[in-house]
Amino acid sequence: MGTAGARFMVAKQLAASGGLYLEEGKTRLCLDPGPGAIVQYAKRKVDPSRLDGIVVSHRHLDHCGDVNVMIEAMTEGGFSRRGALYCPADALDDDPVVFQYLRRFPEKVIKLQLKTDYRVGEIAFTTSPAHIHGAETYGFRFGDRLGWVTDSAYYEGIAEDHRADVMLIHVVLMQCRPELPHLCLADAERIVSEAKPRLAVLTHFGMTVWRAHPWELAEAMSQRTGVDVKAARDGMSLEL
């Protein structure tokens, strides 16, 4: 998972770790189902048996802790073979996070590749170049509408690789720490300043960011960059 602060946030559920739910027309997609995803779906009356796909950016448990139960739910315990799982190869190989017996439940299990286009029904997405994160990690662009900047150390080009109308940026660290492959607040501001999205949403906070009140940090970043920056809140809904 990365830092002790991020682990504490998940363990205490100070903010929900259920990932992102996308809906376009009749297509429904689950992105990064972390611990508690199935509970969050139930609380919001989202039926996971209607999912068409599950996408995992990387194998760390805060991003895939509920991937197995979501596969079960999508396929109704394997009795309705449907949907697709998209994930890095190391989520399936060596020390896998996806159980072997569940892999026959979806119609397809796809190992993600760098800078590659994919489509699930009406939702198309493209993987980023490799993120710097200690596990095989991908960010995503959903056309020009949504950019998903997941865990990574900052690298040149990260803003352009995820540039979109709305960008979700994972900000674990308050201060940059070269030994930790996570984005800090200054990294996020640089991404926002370079990409200039209509809306940037900061999410995936470590404890130092949380204690500094991320909604206040987002407002200050808005003032400095001229971009509408928000801090994610549980159950936040966006129209793209």
Side-chain angles (χ1 to χ4, degrees):
M1 280 178 49
T3 69
R7 288 194 292 269
F8 189 86
M9 288 289 293
V10 172
K12 297 295 185 180
Q13 286 292 288
L14 297 178
S17 52
L20 185 68
Y21 171 72
L22 298 175
E23 187 172 313
E24 176 72 19
K26 296 182 178 180
T27 302
R28 294 165 174 81
L29 195 65
C30 168
L31 178 56
D32 276 2
I38 193 70
V39 174
Q40 297 300 326
Y41 276 54
K43 284 174 63 175
R44 290 165 177 79
K45 295 181 170 52
V46 176
D47 183 358
S49 70
R50 299 181 67 192
L51 286 171
D52 298 286
I54 299 167
V55 180
V56 173
S57 66
H58 62 291
R59 68 183 307 278
H60 291 167
L61 288 181
D62 50 342
H63 292 259
C64 70
D66 265 12
V67 65
N68 291 296
V69 72
M70 294 302 284
I71 292 171
E72 280 257 0
M74 179 174 70
T75 63
E76 298 181 297
F79 288 98
S80 177
R81 188 168 181 265
R82 63 187 305 278
L85 170 67
Y86 297 83
C87 63
D90 68 355
L92 302 168
D93 303 333
D94 301 325
D95 183 22
V97 294
V98 180
F99 295 151
Q100 291 279 358
Y101 83 93
L102 288 170
R103 299 180 195 185
R104 67 180 185 273
F105 288 8
E107 289 182 316
K108 297 183 293 185
V109 175
I110 307 297
K111 294 181 180 180
L112 294 170
Q113 302 289 326
L114 298 174
K115 300 167 67 173
T116 301
D117 297 331
Y118 299 93
R119 176 172 288 278
V120 183
E122 298 173 66
I123 299 177
F125 65 96
T126 304
T127 51
S128 70
H131 281 211
I132 305 163
H133 192 50
E136 186 181 345
T137 303
Y138 300 92
F140 305 106
R141 279 185 64 192
F142 295 83
D144 294 325
R145 299 167 69 188
L146 177 66
W148 178 258
V149 190
T150 194
D151 288 337
S152 178
Y154 184 88
Y155 66 85
E156 291 297 330
I158 192 171
E160 184 60 33
D161 290 337
H162 301 83
R163 188 192 302 271
D165 189 47
V166 176
M167 297 175 69
L168 274 73
I169 304 172
H170 291 54
V171 186
V172 172
L173 302 173
M174 189 73 179
Q175 303 293 333
C176 298
R177 296 177 60 183
E179 75 278 14
L180 294 177
H182 286 283
L183 297 174
C184 68
L185 199 64
D187 294 328
E189 185 162 335
R190 185 174 175 184
I191 291 168
V192 169
S193 296
E194 292 179 6
K196 292 292 184 185
R198 172 180 60 83
L199 172 66
V201 179
L202 309 183
T203 188
H204 198 51
F205 313 120
M207 278 303 302
T208 54
V209 179
W210 184 256
R211 288 172 177 150
H213 301 156
W215 46 92
E216 295 177 5
L217 299 174
E219 176 60 28
M221 192 180 296
S222 292
Q223 296 297 321
R224 291 191 298 269
T225 63
V227 173
D228 187 10
V229 182
K230 304 292 186 187
R233 296 177 183 267
D234 290 355
M236 190 174 192
S237 180
L238 298 171
E239 292 288 336
L240 303 180

